[in-house]
Amino acid sequence: MRCARRLPLWGAALVAVLGATAPTAADAAPRAPRTERVSTAADGAQLDGPSGDAALSGDGRRVAFVTRAPGLGCAPFLPCLKVKDLTTGALTGIDLGGGHLYSSPLLSADGTRVAFTAGTRFTAPYLYDTATGTSQRLWPENPPGSNELGAVRSLSPDGTHVAYTIGNRHGTQGSRLLYVRATATGTDELISPPEEGWKGGASVTGDGTRVAYQTGGYSEGPEDTADVFLWTRGTPERIQLDAGLGTAELVRISADGRRVLFNAQGGLYVHDARTGTTRRAAEGRARSATASARHVVLSRADGLHLLDLCTGRGTAVGPPDARAGGGAVAAGGRAVTFGSAAPDLVPDDTNGEADVFVRHTR
C-alpha cells in the first residue's frame, strides 16, 4: 500500500511506513454515510434487551454480537452470541449449551469463521465454522503448569490462525501462556511462556509467522505497566517495539506482518518491521484497525473517529458513549461497528436499551 503524496497533518510522515501506492478510484468515490442498527430480530424488530461486544467481518457483510434480549431466548445472566448477515438479515446463534457466557467475538474477513471466548465456570477460546455449524474448543496438549481458563486474542483475516491465551485464577496468571493455533493442522505453537509475564493482548498475521503481543496491563498513568513485542518464527529473540515510550497497548499487526499498531503516550504509533522504525501516527486511543493497518478507529472525547492513515482523512462514526472492539472495522474502512445506548442514531429507536450499530462510511 502506498499513500498519496500530499497528506495533511502527520500523514506525510507515514509514506515510508505504510508504503507508496496511490489511492484507487474506489478510495476517491463519493460516500453516502448511513447508520444501521444490527441488534434486531431477523425481521428487523428491535430487541427487548441490551446488546454489545460486536465485531465485523472484513467484507462488511456479517456482524457478531452478544445480546441479553429475552425475545431471542437470552437473559441478563445468560447472554447469547449471534451473527447477523447484513445482506439477508438472517440471524444465526452460536450455542454451546445452557449456562455459557460469551464475549470477545472476532470474524474472519469473509465471516465464515468466528473466534470467541465462552464458558460456564471457566472460560476458554473457541472457533466456530459456519460451513459445519460447529464450534471447536482451542487448547494445547499438555501445556506447562496449572491452566484452567483461556481467552481468544486474535483471528487472522483468512481464519487460518487463532492467537489465544490460557492460565489460571492465581493472581496475574490468567493469561500466562500465549499460543497460536493453525487450524489446517490443529497444531498449537507456544509464542510466549509464563516467564514473560501475563499477556494483555495479541495479534497474528495471515500466515502465522509473526505475532505481536502485549505483556502487562495498559494504564494511562506515568508507570510503565505494559510493553509491546514482536515475535517472528525462526528468530531467536522477541523485539520490543515501544522502548522509551512508557506504557503501551497493542492494537494489531497487519495481515502481511509489515506493520504493528500500538497506543502509547496518548497517541497511535506505527512500527515498520522492515526498517525497524517507529513513528507517531495520530492523537487519541486506537481501538481497532483494518488488516492492512491503513484505517483505524480512534476513541476521543467526542466519540469514535475513523482515520485513514494514508490520506489523513478523519470521519466521525460514533457518539461519545460508543464502544468499539478489536474487530470493529471492515476492509477499506467502509464500515465500523460499535455499541451505544444513544437513542437518536436511527429512527424509531424506542427500546431504551444499548444496541449494536454499523456506520457505513460509503
Side-chain angles (χ1 to χ4, degrees), residues 34-289:
R34 64 185 178 90
T35 299
E36 175 184 7
R37 179 167 54 172
V38 299
S39 55
T40 61
D43 61 0
Q46 59 184 341
L47 300 181
D48 54 354
S51 303
D53 204 359
L56 185 64
S57 60
D59 60 12
R61 177 170 177 172
R62 294 178 176 89
V63 176
F65 63 94
V66 176
T67 182
R68 292 170 171 78
L72 294 181
C74 317
F77 299 104
L78 291 175
C80 302
L81 178 58
K82 302 292 183 180
V83 179
K84 171 163 277 193
D85 188 316
L86 300 186
T87 302
T88 66
L91 203 61
T92 301
I94 299 177
D95 189 1
L96 298 178
H100 278 79
L101 304 177
Y102 302 87
S103 65
S104 308
L106 295 167
L107 288 85
S108 59
D110 61 3
T112 59
R113 290 188 171 183
V114 184
F116 61 96
T117 300
T120 51
R121 184 181 179 188
F122 302 120
T123 62
Y126 288 86
L127 183 65
Y128 175 82
D129 190 329
T130 61
T132 62
T134 58
S135 296
Q136 178 184 16
R137 183 175 182 264
L138 307 178
W139 205 268
E141 185 177 358
N142 300 320
S146 172
N147 305 282
E148 57 198 356
L149 52 86
V152 160
R153 297 296 182 175
S154 172
L155 176 64
S156 65
D158 59 7
T160 60
H161 293 84
V162 187
Y164 66 93
T165 54
I166 63 171
N168 56 56
R169 294 170 290 168
H170 304 300
T172 58
Q173 298 293 302
S175 54
R176 58 193 297 271
L177 299 165
L178 170 63
Y179 285 89
V180 167
R181 164 69 63 91
T183 60
T185 62
T187 57
D188 299 282
E189 184 173 8
L190 179 63
I191 306 301
S192 177
E195 292 78 16
E196 293 186 349
W198 72 281
K199 318 307 182 291
S203 181
V204 60
T205 58
D207 60 7
T209 60
R210 283 183 172 176
V211 180
Y213 63 95
Q214 172 190 330
T215 60
Y218 183 75
S219 171
E220 298 287 353
E223 301 84 5
D224 187 354
T225 60
D227 295 306
V228 172
F229 295 89
L230 178 62
W231 173 93
T232 302
R233 181 177 292 126
T235 58
E237 298 179 353
R238 61 177 184 171
I239 301 173
Q240 184 175 351
L241 307 184
D242 66 308
L245 296 175
T247 295
E249 178 186 37
L250 176 67
V251 179
R252 77 163 299 154
I253 190 171
S254 61
D256 59 13
R258 295 180 178 180
R259 293 168 296 279
V260 179
L261 306 185
F262 63 91
N263 297 314
Q265 298 183 339
L268 171 68
Y269 286 79
V270 179
H271 174 82
D272 189 321
R274 295 170 296 180
T275 64
T277 58
T278 301
R279 298 178 184 268
R280 189 175 179 94
E283 302 304 313
R285 187 178 180 185
R287 298 292 187 176
S288 186

